[in-house]
Amino acid sequence: MSVKVRFYSYDVEFDFERSVEFPVAPQVGDKVNLISFFKYQTSERLEYYENMENLGLYNNALVIERTWCNDLEKGEIYLLVQLKYKRK
């Protein structure tokens, strides 16, 4: 059973409309690399990469907080995960 995860960070702005499916729920202290979730050579992946470069942040982020949430409009239960990025 996979877990639907949405991310937020005070370092980077994310689009909350989509969830990413994980085979196992990320735990506090885990490292996550979101660029691997974008299809190769797409405008979305390139935009994410350029934003990270412009902000001077590494692609890897640390999970620092998690909260289970319920999107009543979509009827979707998901895990909201806060990420902390390291500056270059």
Side-chain angles (χ1 to χ4, degrees):
M1 182 175 140
S2 62
V3 177
K4 293 182 181 185
V5 178
R6 295 184 193 178
F7 299 100
Y8 77 99
S9 174
Y10 294 112
D11 302 313
V12 178
E13 184 177 331
F14 293 108
D15 179 10
F16 278 102
E17 295 301 314
R18 297 185 322 175
S19 300
V20 176
E21 292 208 17
F22 275 75
V24 180
Q27 302 295 313
V28 171
D30 285 350
K31 287 186 180 177
V32 178
N33 187 335
L34 294 184
I35 200 160
S36 63
F37 291 96
F38 295 106
K39 289 183 181 177
Y40 187 66
Q41 293 186 342
T42 60
S43 59
E44 196 174 43
R45 183 182 175 120
L46 182 59
E47 180 183 349
Y48 176 81
Y49 180 79
E50 289 174 350
N51 285 341
M52 297 303 284
E53 284 294 314
N54 291 339
L55 293 169
L57 301 172
Y58 287 103
N59 287 325
N60 290 336
L62 188 65
V63 174
I64 60 172
E65 187 176 336
R66 9 176 289 153
T67 306
W68 286 101
C69 300
N70 186 7
D71 186 332
L72 296 174
E73 289 181 12
K74 293 183 177 181
E76 176 182 81
I77 295 174
Y78 62 93
L79 183 62
L80 183 61
V81 173
Q82 182 181 359
L83 300 175
K84 178 66 180 163
Y85 285 87
K86 183 176 177 184
R87 299 218 175 266
K88 291 184 178 180

